[in-house]
Amino acid sequence: MSYTKHLLSLLLVMITFTGFSQNKKGDSFLSITASPFPTTNSDRNDFGIIAKVGLEFHFSNKVSFQGSFFSSNNVLFKDDSGVNINSYGFVPSVHYYFVNTAKLNVFGQLGYGFGYEDLTRSYGAIENSALTIFSVGAGANYKLKEKLYLQLHLPYFNAQNITIKSSVADGIALFLGFNFKLN
């Protein structure tokens, strides 16, 4: 084989592996996910959504840091109680990738952050409160296209209202959305 054929073959192999490579040090991602947010107030059921936007940076093939901004509204789809709860916040977290292949990534996540809650009642009372949020869980990214992944995230989270010293959320949530590779 000639030098040109060797070079073209090597180039083809490199392009093939680059297009199907796993997450690696220096990679960054933008994720957009959402979870159902059912609440019960005075024996009446409401139904809303929690949405997250996260920016993730890989320090190595196995470890990354993500900063997630979240917003929630408990009555977006159904409001039977007249109690509207909106919250906003930021949760930084560390992800450890147990599986990091070309098509599938599985990670564990641990995070702690802060937020703000606005609770409005139908009779006009408004409570503005500060939150702390602890989150631990697992997730997976399934590659759909070169830079597009389907993301499933299953965290247990505990949100404490530190203004009125009460628990406002405690449990497991199922987040589903997309993860976009930025570089």
Side-chain angles (χ1 to χ4, degrees):
M1 251 207 249
S2 71
Y3 174 76
T4 306
K5 287 183 180 179
H6 283 298
L7 184 60
L8 288 175
S9 297
L10 180 61
L11 202 63
L12 179 62
V13 169
M14 287 175 58
I15 290 170
T16 302
F17 283 127
T18 302
F20 297 104
S21 65
Q22 63 188 10
N23 295 342
K24 57 188 177 301
K25 181 179 179 177
D27 284 352
S28 56
F29 290 85
L30 174 70
S31 64
I32 300 171
T33 57
S35 177
F37 186 31
T39 56
T40 302
N41 292 293
S42 304
D43 294 325
R44 299 199 176 234
N45 297 321
D46 300 323
F47 190 72
I49 194 166
I50 302 171
K52 290 190 316 174
V53 174
L55 187 58
E56 181 178 10
F57 180 78
H58 283 262
F59 290 107
S60 72
N61 292 7
K62 296 266 188 193
V63 179
S64 69
F65 173 80
Q66 182 179 47
S68 295
F69 295 94
F70 72 88
S71 179
S72 70
N73 179 300
N74 72 313
V75 296
L76 187 63
F77 302 113
K78 181 181 176 189
D79 182 4
D80 284 345
S81 71
V83 177
N84 186 353
I85 305 169
N86 292 300
S87 61
Y88 314 92
F90 177 71
V91 179
S93 61
V94 175
H95 293 191
Y96 180 82
Y97 283 82
F98 297 101
V99 176
N100 188 11
T101 66
K103 198 75 168 160
L104 177 70
N105 303 317
V106 179
F107 61 90
Q109 169 265 330
L110 177 65
Y112 186 81
F114 297 94
Y116 169 81
E117 180 179 67
D118 176 18
L119 176 68
T120 306
R121 300 183 192 277
S122 59
Y123 55 84
I126 298 174
E127 298 174 20
N128 297 316
S129 306
L131 302 173
T132 60
I133 301 103
F134 168 75
S135 175
V136 61
N141 295 302
Y142 180 76
K143 191 172 195 173
L144 299 172
K145 297 218 178 238
E146 184 179 338
K147 293 188 175 198
L148 177 65
Y149 296 78
L150 179 65
Q151 185 176 81
L152 172 72
H153 188 205
L154 192 65
Y156 160 80
F157 64 96
N158 181 297
Q160 296 290 319
N161 185 316
I162 58 176
T163 303
I164 60 174
K165 296 181 177 48
S166 73
S167 178
V168 294
D170 187 20
I172 296 175
L174 173 67
F175 284 87
L176 188 60
F178 294 99
N179 204 12
F180 305 94
K181 188 172 184 179
L182 298 175
N183 56 352

